[in-house]
Amino acid sequence: MCELPGSPSAGLYKGRLISPRMIRWDANHNLPDYEVVFEGTTMRFKPQNGTNTFLGQYQQGTWTPGACDFTLKDGELIDNSATAYVVFDNSGETKINSVKIGGEGIPVKASAETACSVTTLIPPGTGNNGDLTVSISYSGVGVNGPYSRTQTHSMYRSDFKPGCNKLAVEFGCGALAVCVYPVP
């Protein structure tokens, strides 16, 4: 089972169906067998350990290969998940209010400290290239007074390496007013 980001327990949990409604989790999870209970379009798990503990509801959906950023290599699961943070000093006149990558909010930090969080995973993107829309909300003071703007930028999922990614934001670059890019 793969719980996507947004879930409080996002991650990959390996197991197998031992009947049409029963999951046996791999031993490293230390979990009892779970009964899968469908109620309309939602699904819940009920552990088979003598309790009737409700573990939450899960929406049925289409599984996307690689959605949890795990790949299988030589029989081992390899974690390819990526997180990111933006380095920008907000003490000047121009301030970055928020940065979202594929709809996920990314922290903005003044220094190059490690500021990644597993709760803000970079999504897989869309299309064959893993297209991601980066939305940068910023404000400042111009010749006509205070302003607030949102600029979008495109990146690919392949622009992010597995693990923590440090990003920089540059104003007045190229044809766009704002650019964002990974910092080595």
Side-chain angles (χ1 to χ4, degrees):
M1 181 184 88
C2 168
E3 290 189 56
L4 298 177
S7 165
S9 58
L12 183 73
Y13 301 89
K14 281 178 57 190
R16 63 186 174 90
L17 287 173
I18 57 174
S19 78
R21 291 175 44 127
M22 189 73 66
I23 295 176
R24 173 159 295 149
W25 300 107
D26 286 5
N28 61 322
H29 298 300
N30 293 323
L31 296 171
D33 294 344
Y34 282 71
E35 181 183 357
V36 180
V37 180
F38 291 98
E39 297 167 346
T41 60
T42 61
M43 175 177 71
R44 68 181 181 129
F45 295 111
K46 187 168 73 172
Q48 300 302 297
N49 60 0
T51 67
N52 192 14
T53 308
F54 178 67
L55 299 175
Q57 291 184 244
Y58 301 85
Q59 294 292 323
Q60 283 183 295
T62 303
W63 290 102
T64 304
C68 270
D69 286 325
F70 282 85
T71 54
L72 192 62
K73 183 177 179 182
D74 300 325
E76 293 285 320
L77 278 176
I78 308 296
D79 185 357
N80 297 311
S81 61
T83 60
Y85 69 103
V86 172
V87 177
F88 189 82
D89 185 358
N90 266 339
S91 64
E93 287 188 9
T94 303
K95 306 215 181 316
I96 295 179
N97 303 317
S98 70
V99 177
K100 290 186 177 183
I101 300 175
E104 292 291 324
I106 304 301
V108 178
K109 299 292 180 180
S111 66
E113 64 191 74
T114 300
C116 286
S117 166
V118 294
T119 61
T120 56
L121 294 171
I122 304 299
T126 60
N128 292 336
N129 298 322
D131 300 325
L132 290 165
T133 298
V134 180
S135 175
I136 304 164
S137 172
Y138 61 98
S139 57
V141 178
V143 292
N144 295 325
Y147 64 88
S148 209
R149 295 191 179 109
T150 298
Q151 179 77 39
T152 60
H153 183 75
S154 293
M155 293 183 81
Y156 299 113
R157 181 58 174 79
S158 60
D159 292 335
F160 299 93
K161 67 182 184 345
C164 188
N165 292 265
K166 180 172 63 171
L167 305 178
V169 172
E170 181 181 335
F171 288 88
C173 58
L176 295 173
V178 182
C179 295
V180 62
Y181 53 89
V183 178

